[in-house]
Amino acid sequence: MKRRKKSYSTRVISWEEQRHLGGEFARVGEGSWPVRRIIGEKGPAGNKQYQVEWEPHPNGEEEFEPHWVSKAGVGKGLVRDWVRFKAQYDAIVVANGHYTIPHIPAITGIAGWHKKYPNIIMHSKAYRRPEDFSGQKVIVVGNSASGSDIAGQLAACAQHPVYLASRSASQQAPTGRGPAWRKDVSEIEAFLLDEGDRAIRTKDGELVDKLDAIIFATGYFYSFPFMTIPPTASVSSSETQSPSKSSSSVDSASSAQHAATTNPSPPDTRASFATNPLETLITSGLRTHNVYKHFLHIDYPTLALPVLNLKVVPFPLAENQAAVIARLWSNRLDLPSEDEMRKWERDEEQRLLDAQRLRPAPNTAAGDSVSASVSASSDEQDQTPNPKYEAGFHTLLYPEDAAQLNTLHKWASSARPAAGLENNGIGKLGTRWDEKQVWLRKRFPDMKAAYTRRGEGRSAITSLEELGGEWRDGFEKWNEETSEEEKADLFRRAAVAGY
């Protein structure tokens, strides 16, 4: 296969120039250019798009950037000849991310409210710029990274206060009270159709009305539609498909949630797939199953799914997981037994259940959906949640993310040496957090707030010390004022070396 060039021309070929090129370069028509081959495909059957490579310019072999075009822009011959190829690999890394299918929770009244007041509810995936909400009364739902950042951006344009609704305190929020432009409220309990004007009620009983926009920063579903097993005659496709629509609209998000949460996949009804563990990799869309340490499939240990965790620093996590994966797949590390790996998953589920950190998957089929197709009122519907506790399994709370990084680093460091590798044959290693970095991780929201307060001058900040005295001397002061027992407990929970 010919290696594509790393850089492409963005020059626009005028029709006048194209006419004088002759051959197929002149025959395709004004504003077009001949396609060399198809290299990708996306979209539903009736509206497919194809990623194409263009023929190089005949004078000088000038290459042009690949583009996504419709079937009409490709040509029937190429589409007819385009086939998916099959290949067998020794191992697969699934690194498609998990920020594609928006999750909008099923809240009492939301379906009817959305029908009555269309274009007010949206997911953060569709958010583009704060100016779109100038002068508007806005409530942001969810106070993690996206919710906090969007609320902060809206402060410059939207009505004050900007409402921020959440079920619990945010790890992303700095210590102390929130800013004057923001009002923090509890999670939305109901969307009100017969009370107020464009109104919602929070769990604390507060009514907020005359809303112009509601932005759900409530996360995404896990989805691996390309690993879904085709259904047999005894199981319909609606029962077997993981959520696969990639739209940020309210209705599409609801449809994806409906598809994800109505299929708990109990073993007795899925006997036809008992021999294929991939079929239960995703059930509700809120977590993965049969995955060891949040990244390695137990049944297929040559299938890796990195960076599934939430509320982590993703890049060092990806590096440390990659270091372990490389050593496992090069036979320089040994996996625990299947029983040990399954025990880890069961123990982790139980630990989170005991700490009340797992939430039940919402039963969107019976509960209230934002889909306009739902016609029954919330009072008539069964609000009983799915008994399978799914939400929160991949969420790490401080200092669990530090412990995950340090444990992975230690695991990779224990690999059998190989000739020719750096670090005395151990090879490249990822990130290891020491005592100061663990302390800094807890202060991240305050650090971010201090950086933001610098305004336009923040672009000149290149080191932590430049943020001020508390950041120059903060760790030393904390180290002096904190008892040895408290420090040892924190660093032991963070898996810091030596504790």
Side-chain angles (χ1 to χ4, degrees):
M1 181 184 296
K2 182 180 178 180
R3 183 181 297 274
R4 287 191 290 157
K5 296 181 180 180
K6 293 183 179 180
S7 61
Y8 300 92
S9 170
T10 58
R11 184 170 69 91
V12 177
I13 306 298
S14 69
W15 175 231
E16 193 63 30
E17 178 184 354
Q18 193 170 326
R19 283 174 53 198
H20 289 88
L21 290 175
E24 63 179 318
F25 294 90
R27 284 199 303 269
V28 292
E30 184 172 0
S32 185
W33 192 254
V35 174
R36 177 162 59 189
R37 64 180 182 130
I38 300 172
I39 59 175
E41 173 188 324
K42 67 180 180 180
N47 190 28
K48 281 197 180 298
Q49 287 188 303
Y50 299 91
Q51 190 178 31
V52 298
E53 281 186 344
W54 308 104
E55 287 288 351
H57 197 288
N59 300 332
E61 295 293 303
E62 186 179 9
E63 293 269 1
F64 302 99
E65 186 77 33
H67 279 80
W68 288 97
V69 298
S70 67
K71 182 177 180 180
V74 180
K76 292 181 181 179
L78 278 176
V79 172
R80 185 180 61 247
D81 295 337
W82 163 248
V83 293
R84 294 187 180 92
F85 70 91
K86 293 182 179 180
Q88 185 169 332
Y89 298 92
D90 295 316
I92 297 175
V93 177
V94 178
N96 67 319
H98 46 86
Y99 300 99
T100 301
I101 301 176
H103 168 224
I104 295 180
I107 301 174
T108 299
I110 190 172
W113 203 95
H114 173 57
K115 187 175 182 180
K116 184 176 180 179
Y117 306 115
N119 305 318
I120 290 182
I121 299 174
M122 64 178 289
H123 190 271
S124 58
K125 184 181 180 181
Y127 172 86
R128 291 296 177 267
R129 55 180 194 154
E131 291 80 9
D132 294 336
F133 302 89
S134 295
Q136 295 188 9
K137 186 174 184 179
V138 183
I139 184 167
V140 179
V141 183
N143 64 353
S144 195
S146 294
S148 298
D149 285 349
I150 288 173
Q153 291 180 16
L154 292 173
C157 303
Q159 279 188 34
H160 289 187
V162 175
Y163 289 83
L164 187 61
S166 63
R167 67 162 61 94
S168 59
S170 173
Q171 284 187 293
Q172 305 293 327
T175 54
R177 298 185 62 182
W181 53 262
R182 193 182 79 205
K183 182 173 182 179
D184 296 344
V185 296
S186 62
E187 64 180 300
I188 298 176
E189 180 180 60
F191 283 75
L192 306 177
L193 291 170
D194 302 318
E195 185 177 355
D197 175 24
R198 292 166 286 149
I200 58 94
R201 184 175 61 246
T202 72
K203 282 203 169 181
D204 289 342
E206 182 171 356
L207 186 145
V208 183
D209 64 355
K210 295 182 172 59
L211 287 164
D212 299 303
I214 300 176
I215 304 173
F216 278 90
T218 44
Y220 296 80
F221 287 109
Y222 294 96
S223 176
F224 307 106
F226 45 85
M227 292 200 293
T228 299
I229 309 304
T232 65
S234 61
V235 184
S236 71
S237 60
S238 63
E239 292 173 320
T240 61
Q241 300 298 315
S242 297
S244 59
K245 296 182 180 178
S246 57
S247 169
S248 56
S249 72
V250 176
D251 289 331
S252 295
S254 172
S255 299
Q257 183 176 9
H258 178 90
T261 58
T262 57
N263 304 299
S265 305
D268 56 334
T269 61
R270 301 300 292 276
S272 60
F273 295 115
T275 59
N276 198 319
L278 287 182
E279 185 58 28
T280 54
L281 176 62
I282 298 290
T283 54
S284 69
L286 299 175
R287 63 163 287 192
T288 63
H289 294 270
N290 304 316
V291 175
Y292 178 61
K293 295 287 188 180
H294 301 287
F295 76 103
L296 204 65
H297 200 281
I298 295 172
D299 298 276
Y300 301 117
T302 51
L303 173 63
L305 302 103
V307 200
L308 294 172
N309 295 102
L310 303 176
K311 300 189 177 179
V312 297
V313 185
F315 291 111
L317 175 58
E319 291 172 352
N320 285 21
Q321 288 177 335
V324 170
I325 291 167
R327 287 158 173 79
L328 284 170
W329 291 352
S330 60
N331 295 317
R332 296 176 54 223
L333 281 176
D334 296 323
L335 265 178
S337 69
E338 182 179 331
D339 287 343
E340 290 177 286
M341 291 191 286
R342 294 201 186 282
K343 183 178 184 302
W344 174 85
E345 187 177 41
R346 290 194 303 270
D347 290 348
E348 186 68 2
E349 288 171 345
Q350 193 59 53
R351 180 182 75 86
L352 296 172
L353 278 170
D354 292 344
Q356 298 184 337
R357 285 173 52 184
L358 286 185
R359 301 185 304 280
N363 188 351
T364 354
D368 198 8
S369 164
V370 291
S371 171
S373 64
V374 176
S375 57
S377 70
S378 59
D379 294 335
E380 297 170 338
Q381 295 167 352
D382 176 16
Q383 298 289 330
T384 305
N386 186 311
K388 291 180 73 69
Y389 281 72
E390 304 259 310
F393 181 77
H394 294 301
T395 301
L396 299 186
L397 303 183
Y398 177 84
E400 292 169 349
D401 57 339
Q404 184 185 41
L405 280 179
N406 287 338
T407 300
L408 288 166
H409 187 278
K410 183 178 180 181
W411 191 4
S413 302
S414 69
R416 291 179 283 274
L421 295 180
E422 57 193 271
N423 294 330
N424 296 319
I426 297 300
K428 290 184 178 181
L429 294 168
T431 298
R432 180 174 61 186
W433 284 356
D434 60 16
E435 293 89 340
K436 184 173 183 180
Q437 288 167 313
V438 170
W439 173 81
L440 281 172
R441 174 60 174 144
K442 187 174 184 179
R443 300 293 309 280
F444 174 76
D446 297 305
M447 189 193 316
K448 184 177 179 180
Y451 176 78
T452 303
R453 284 195 294 269
R454 292 300 183 98
E456 296 298 324
R458 65 182 181 271
S459 59
I461 301 294
T462 59
S463 69
L464 189 62
E465 289 71 23
E466 293 177 59
L467 286 177
E470 66 172 305
W471 299 104
R472 283 193 297 270
D473 312 318
F475 174 70
E476 288 72 19
K477 183 178 180 182
W478 174 86
N479 198 31
E480 291 174 1
E481 296 175 350
T482 306
S483 70
E484 293 301 317
E485 294 79 5
E486 184 179 344
K487 287 187 290 186
D489 176 65
L490 170 62
F491 298 141
R492 187 165 46 249
R493 288 188 291 122
V496 174
Y499 290 87

